[in-house]
Amino acid sequence: MAIPDTGSVQIDSEPGGASVFYGGAFLGNTPLKVSNIPAGQADFTLKRNRYREKTIAVSGIGGDDPVSVKVELRFFNPPVSGMEWKNSQDMLFDWVD
């Protein structure tokens, strides 16, 4: 039996709708199934407005069954000097340093 050269990964996030990048290229938004990923391990970066960027290492890629991962994103929305800012409860502030 031949060792697979590629595999697929099913990526989901909480909250959903995160942009997924692989090797610097945008692949789509979560939930997302990505095919033709080289077998072994791959790093994916998830980005979403008002959340911290997160890079994950996915291992076990290869074969017919996709590797499934769910990524918890952490809220992050710091104020910017001179701009209006909404906190996590949608309260609006004028922010001045």
Side-chain angles (χ1 to χ4, degrees):
M1 183 172 174
I3 297 172
D5 292 337
T6 63
S8 58
V9 179
Q10 177 70 42
I11 303 172
D12 202 356
S13 66
E14 179 58 43
S19 299
V20 179
F21 296 84
Y22 172 70
F26 172 70
L27 302 178
N29 295 320
T30 60
L32 178 69
K33 183 177 180 183
V34 184
S35 300
N36 297 319
I37 300 298
Q41 181 175 310
D43 293 336
F44 296 91
T45 300
L46 283 75
K47 299 179 182 182
R48 191 173 193 278
N49 190 29
R50 300 175 71 182
Y51 288 82
R52 285 193 187 274
E53 178 179 304
K54 188 165 188 177
T55 298
I56 58 165
V58 179
S59 59
I61 300 169
D64 295 331
D65 296 327
V67 175
S68 293
V69 294
K70 184 161 188 174
V71 181
E72 297 285 330
L73 298 175
R74 190 169 168 195
F75 184 77
F76 182 70
N77 188 37
V80 176
S81 181
M83 297 186 71
E84 288 184 341
W85 176 71
K86 279 188 183 180
N87 68 8
S88 61
Q89 298 173 349
D90 283 334
M91 296 170 60
L92 186 62
F93 298 87
D94 285 326
W95 188 263
V96 180
D97 269 341

